[in-house]
Amino acid sequence: MYQHTNIENQNIPLPLGKVVCVGRNYAEHAKELGNEVPDAPILFIKPATAVVSLEHGFAIPQHKGNVHHEAEIALLISQDASQILAENAWSHVSHVSVALDLTLRDVQSKLKEKSHPWEIAKAFDGACPLGKWVHKDAISDLNNIAIELYKNGEQKQKGDSTQMITPIPELIAYMSNIFTLKAGDVILTGTPAGVGPLENGDGLLAKLDGQYEFPSKVI
Ligand code: ZN
């Protein structure tokens, strides 16, 4: 069972809720998939059943086509947020981490062709490996959070929150005007360019803020 835990291995006493995600929040990533840059955030939700710990390795769906990694900055909501303003957004967040927005890319492409929702491609069990939480006060600059992903020793993704089309405070405010964000909910903030397929046995290393490392593997 997944439980929110910080990098000191202490439990964070908040219940895991929904995971609210944004698509195409980095222009370079929208481009690499041949998508237009949206004029408002594209939101979708992964249920709590999608979340697994990143730390011990995770399984990917078999025989369902390509499974892509999307490394993303994750935020832990610590105080309920409904219809909040961007200037107050960080006061509703206690911790930052990395998550993988695992995506069945071939399945998603077919859904997109038919203009169908993406849940089947993004909300399956295990679709959200999530790292341990770093307190936001331990992040060097909340306005410029760096994220990297290495696969089998090779850097695949690199970006930072200054490249986001909708910056974190505005994104949280926007989400809170559609869904009430509950303490224990998680926000995924979109992926930088460099997404690609995962195979069984791949070794992964995600880095946050250039200083926190999250090793994992596909088991
Ligand atoms: Zn994503």
Side-chain angles (χ1 to χ4, degrees):
M1 258 309 261
Y2 174 88
Q3 161 70 46
H4 291 310
T5 305
N6 67 20
I7 52 170
E8 289 85 29
N9 282 321
Q10 294 158 327
N11 279 356
I12 300 172
L14 293 174
L16 171 63
K18 60 188 175 294
V19 183
V20 185
C21 309
V22 57
R24 300 179 208 164
N25 202 24
Y26 290 76
E28 285 301 312
H29 169 62
K31 224 186 274 176
E32 75 179 340
L33 294 183
N35 292 313
E36 282 173 28
V37 173
D39 49 15
I42 300 172
L43 302 187
F44 58 98
I45 286 181
K46 293 179 189 250
T49 44
V51 177
V52 292
S53 167
L54 177 66
E55 183 183 46
H56 302 295
F58 56 90
I60 56 174
Q62 305 292 308
H63 314 300
K64 291 193 173 162
N66 273 320
V67 184
H68 273 195
H69 55 76
E70 296 190 355
E72 310 201 0
I73 298 166
L75 308 170
L76 179 61
I77 297 294
S78 53
Q79 201 183 97
D80 293 3
S82 178
Q83 299 179 14
I84 63 166
L85 297 173
E87 65 203 63
N88 298 326
W90 276 112
S91 65
H92 295 264
V93 174
S94 58
H95 293 77
V96 181
S97 189
V98 296
L100 297 178
D101 168 16
L102 294 185
T103 303
L104 291 167
R105 190 69 72 201
D106 297 332
V107 172
Q108 188 197 28
S109 300
K110 290 203 180 97
L111 294 169
K112 278 161 129 180
E113 277 169 23
K114 297 180 196 160
S115 302
H116 286 180
W118 299 350
E119 270 85 351
I120 293 170
K122 282 185 172 282
F124 54 88
D125 286 2
C128 187
L130 183 56
K132 290 187 172 169
W133 293 103
V134 178
H135 197 276
K136 68 177 178 185
D137 295 347
I139 299 288
S140 317
D141 179 357
L142 290 175
N143 295 312
N144 184 358
I145 307 172
I147 182 165
E148 296 158 75
L149 183 73
Y150 295 78
K151 185 176 90 171
N152 301 326
E154 195 182 327
Q155 189 181 68
K156 293 293 183 186
Q157 295 194 258
K158 180 177 169 56
D160 65 67
S161 59
T162 68
Q163 301 163 343
M164 291 179 183
I165 294 166
T166 306
I168 287 173
E170 284 74 13
L171 184 63
I172 297 170
Y174 181 80
M175 289 173 169
S176 82
N177 276 278
I178 300 168
F179 316 106
T180 295
L181 301 171
K182 300 286 290 178
D185 285 354
V186 174
I187 291 176
L188 265 50
T189 54
T191 195
V195 302
L198 292 172
E199 308 277 355
N200 292 341
D202 280 343
L204 297 173
L205 177 68
K207 281 192 197 174
L208 180 69
D209 194 28
Q211 56 172 327
Y212 301 103
E213 299 199 339
F214 301 82
S216 187
K217 61 180 181 248
V218 183
I219 46 176

